[in-house]
Amino acid sequence: MMQDNPKICRYIDLPVQHISDKVLKMMRREHDSEGTRRLLKDIRRMLPDAAVRTTVIAGHPGETEKEFRELLDFIGEYRFDRLGAFRYSHEENTFGALNYSDTVPERTKERRVARIMALQQEIAAARNAAMTGSTMRVIIDRKEGLFHVGRSQHDSPEVDQEILVTGLKNIEPGTFIDVKITGSTEFDLYAEKVGKSEGRKV
């Protein structure tokens, strides 16, 4: 359906949580490493222009440095477009809280999350830098200082990166425009308007 329908954003949020079969089993997830890799390969093949976002958990009970390294290597291998990382913590009445001891020290969890996000920052910076000079359609969300702030179909509001557009006048929120990417940081793009805006879309 996403291949055939241009009205659907090319954006897939797939919270894999982990890639180690040992940890996934302890999490009681219904997917395994092989299935995850196969699904992600199919997504890249069928929707090469789609942005794939995921979330992962570091420091789950039973996660040793070996399992964490599996996760880190997997993130570096797949190079997700968007990624969030969280420390494991017991949630009341969940299977993990009722059945496992929270054995991974908090400082270790923090260190692992920091390593994941440092890697993702490198990936995001490289991806964004490669977009300089390209054009894309964005929707304008608001005016902020010298910029109109928008996002592409690859960015969820208040979660993913934003596109900071210069040179706009009298553009209402909700307007779709075409922009040219002029610069980037790790988590934002800078752009200028090209062509004519299409007016407000609801």
Side-chain angles (χ1 to χ4, degrees), residues 88-99:
Y88 173 84
S89 62
H90 277 337
E91 296 292 335
E92 188 176 0
N93 295 323
T94 61
F95 182 84
L98 295 173
N99 291 274

Side-chain angles (χ1 to χ4, degrees), residues 25-41:
K25 187 174 181 179
M26 294 187 71
M27 288 179 171
R28 303 186 80 191
R29 304 295 173 181
E30 295 183 359
H31 60 277
D32 60 11
S33 173
E34 182 181 352
T36 297
R37 292 176 187 276
R38 184 168 57 248
L39 176 58
L40 290 170
K41 183 178 180 180

Side-chain angles (χ1 to χ4, degrees), residues 19-27 61-64 67 70:
I19 200 61
S20 162
D21 283 332
K22 170 190 168 183
V23 176
L24 288 170
K25 187 174 181 179
M26 294 187 71
M27 288 179 171
E63 183 192 72
T64 67
E67 287 77 41
E70 281 186 63

Side-chain angles (χ1 to χ4, degrees), residues 2 8-15 39-40 42-55 78-83 120 123-124 127-128 131 136 151-156 159-161 163 189:
M2 291 183 74
I8 301 176
C9 290
R10 301 298 197 263
Y11 181 96
I12 298 173
D13 193 338
L14 188 72
L39 176 58
L40 290 170
D42 286 344
I43 291 171
R44 288 288 194 227
R45 175 178 56 83
M46 298 174 70
L47 294 165
D49 61 337
V52 180
R53 187 182 204 284
T54 197
T55 51
Y78 189 76
R79 299 178 69 82
F80 288 92
D81 300 278
R82 313 282 184 261
L83 181 142
Q120 183 60 28
I123 293 169
R127 283 190 175 281
N128 281 353
M131 297 181 70
M136 65 175 62
R151 55 192 162 82
S152 74
Q153 65 173 324
H154 294 150
D155 300 297
S156 181
V159 174
D160 296 320
Q161 69 180 11
I163 300 170
L189 295 172

Side-chain angles (χ1 to χ4, degrees), residues 9-193:
C9 290
R10 301 298 197 263
Y11 181 96
I12 298 173
D13 193 338
L14 188 72
V16 300
Q17 308 293 18
H18 217 283
I19 200 61
S20 162
D21 283 332
K22 170 190 168 183
V23 176
L24 288 170
K25 187 174 181 179
M26 294 187 71
M27 288 179 171
R28 303 186 80 191
R29 304 295 173 181
E30 295 183 359
H31 60 277
D32 60 11
S33 173
E34 182 181 352
T36 297
R37 292 176 187 276
R38 184 168 57 248
L39 176 58
L40 290 170
K41 183 178 180 180
D42 286 344
I43 291 171
R44 288 288 194 227
R45 175 178 56 83
M46 298 174 70
L47 294 165
D49 61 337
V52 180
R53 187 182 204 284
T54 197
T55 51
V56 297
I57 296 174
H60 189 278
E63 183 192 72
T64 67
E65 193 64 27
K66 175 180 179 294
E67 287 77 41
F68 173 70
R69 172 52 64 178
E70 281 186 63
L71 177 60
L72 202 64
D73 289 346
F74 169 66
I75 293 169
E77 169 195 338
Y78 189 76
R79 299 178 69 82
F80 288 92
D81 300 278
R82 313 282 184 261
L83 181 142
F86 302 92
R87 293 180 299 162
Y88 173 84
S89 62
H90 277 337
E91 296 292 335
E92 188 176 0
N93 295 323
T94 61
F95 182 84
L98 295 173
N99 291 274
Y100 302 135
S101 297
D102 192 358
T103 54
V104 181
E106 290 300 315
R107 290 185 65 180
T108 299
K109 294 177 188 177
E110 292 173 1
R111 176 176 56 82
R112 290 177 181 175
V113 168
R115 289 171 66 185
I116 290 171
M117 294 313 299
L119 173 59
Q120 183 60 28
Q121 185 172 342
E122 293 178 11
I123 293 169
R127 283 190 175 281
N128 281 353
M131 297 181 70
T132 300
S134 65
T135 59
M136 65 175 62
R137 177 149 299 183
V138 304
I139 184 171
I140 299 300
D141 287 329
R142 66 187 187 278
K143 176 79 161 53
E144 194 171 289
L146 299 176
F147 300 100
H148 281 81
V149 181
R151 55 192 162 82
S152 74
Q153 65 173 324
H154 294 150
D155 300 297
S156 181
E158 300 181 7
V159 174
D160 296 320
Q161 69 180 11
E162 296 176 320
I163 300 170
L164 310 178
V165 187
T166 59
L168 299 183
K169 296 180 180 179
N170 303 318
I171 297 290
E172 296 183 47
T175 300
F176 285 88
I177 62 170
D178 293 324
V179 301
K180 179 179 180 180
I181 305 303
T182 58
S184 67
T185 65
E186 293 89 343
F187 298 116
D188 287 309
L189 295 172
Y190 293 90
E192 59 187 19
K193 177 177 171 292

